[in-house]
Amino acid sequence: MRKLFIVAVLFALLIAVNASLTEDDFKKMKMKDLRIFLSSRGLECVGCLEKSDFVRLAFQNKDKQPLASATKREIPEGKFWEVWEANAKTKCEEAVKKRGGDPASKPFSDVCHTIEKAVEGYFMQNGRQVATKLKKQPLQLLKTSYKDIYYDAGLRLLEKLSNHCLSTPDQQKKCSSMSNVMKLLEDEGFKVYITNVGIENTNPMYDIIDDAADL
């Protein structure tokens, strides 16, 4: 009973602290801190170019509580590359459905299958290289990739890749080729993502999420 009372008091204090924050308080924050504040609450500053944009969104949501305190993300069984292969398949099929298509029908099934296998191969090759260089196990990369901002950034990259490959019939044809998709993975930030998951550097993850441009 006493523990419940203490938790309730701490929660009330947290709300009070957030409620007392002024817009000037947010203006004094560094960009990194503003991004952490927003990301921890499941917020994305889409199209934001200036610090004032981030300040405005943070101030508008000062009373919103962090999501991390509510749930802990479960890490799936499997290797680093197998888990992200499955994530790639899910993201591609979601993108197909948003376009009113059937993921099981061609050419969508070909595109999603190619993306899925390309991600598996790319994450295997680069994941092993990064893990070896850092004297880590690939499992450590998987665990890091499922933490907060790393997970969101990885899904963002997969979403952008899927949208690019499904955007036109011409792109669908190109993305049915393994070599073309592997080149996209190489050119569009996936190596940077895996490397920074390995060294546990969050800064590039915010850049990935903040980048509203398509591939």
Side-chain angles (χ1 to χ4, degrees):
M1 193 72 177
R2 179 179 172 76
K3 287 183 178 179
L4 289 175
F5 175 75
I6 292 173
V7 170
V9 170
L10 290 174
F11 186 72
L13 286 172
L14 180 60
I15 293 175
V17 169
N18 285 344
S20 67
L21 289 172
T22 66
E23 191 166 5
D24 284 337
D25 291 326
F26 286 105
K27 287 178 181 178
K28 293 174 185 175
M29 287 184 182
K30 295 180 180 179
M31 278 298 298
K32 180 180 178 181
D33 295 326
L34 285 168
R35 284 170 168 163
I36 290 173
F37 180 91
L38 293 172
S39 176
S40 68
R41 287 156 177 78
L43 300 171
E44 181 180 348
C45 202
V46 179
C48 294
L49 300 176
E50 305 293 335
K51 182 180 178 180
S52 59
D53 298 325
F54 288 87
V55 168
R56 188 179 307 109
L57 183 60
F59 181 64
Q60 289 171 351
N61 291 276
K62 65 177 182 174
D63 297 328
K64 190 177 179 70
Q65 299 307 307
L67 298 177
S69 59
T71 57
K72 185 177 181 180
R73 186 175 295 112
E74 184 178 345
I75 300 173
E77 294 284 338
K79 295 181 172 63
F80 175 56
W81 44 89
E82 292 172 344
V83 171
W84 281 95
E85 172 194 6
N87 288 337
K89 179 181 180 181
T90 299
K91 274 297 173 185
C92 186
E93 290 180 350
E94 286 176 357
V96 170
K97 290 174 182 177
K98 285 180 181 178
R99 287 168 168 75
D102 177 7
S105 66
K106 292 180 179 293
F108 304 126
S109 58
D110 290 338
V111 173
C112 289
H113 178 74
T114 305
I115 288 176
E116 178 187 348
K117 292 305 174 185
V119 167
E120 179 191 27
Y122 195 86
F123 273 59
M124 180 188 294
Q125 178 185 348
N126 288 276
R128 282 176 168 169
Q129 287 177 356
V130 170
T132 300
K133 189 173 183 179
L134 296 173
K135 298 181 179 179
K136 291 184 173 182
Q137 294 297 321
L139 178 60
Q140 292 174 269
L141 271 65
L142 173 60
K143 289 180 177 178
T144 300
S145 73
Y146 261 66
K147 291 180 181 177
D148 303 323
I149 191 68
Y150 298 102
Y151 180 76
D152 294 337
L155 292 187
R156 174 66 178 140
L157 283 174
L158 292 177
E159 179 183 27
K160 290 176 68 176
L161 175 65
S162 297
N163 287 336
H164 173 78
C165 284
L166 295 167
S167 59
T168 65
D170 184 52
Q171 288 299 337
Q172 291 166 15
K173 184 176 180 180
K174 288 180 180 178
C175 288
S176 294
S177 162
M178 180 69 75
S179 60
N180 287 340
V181 177
M182 290 292 278
K183 187 175 187 307
L184 283 173
L185 293 171
E186 183 69 27
D187 294 343
E188 300 299 337
F190 282 85
K191 191 168 187 176
V192 171
Y193 173 76
I194 295 170
T195 299
N196 283 281
V197 165
I199 63 177
E200 299 187 40
N201 178 19
T202 60
N203 288 336
M205 306 300 151
Y206 292 105
D207 294 334
I208 290 170
I209 289 177
D210 291 342
D211 184 6
D214 293 328
L215 297 185

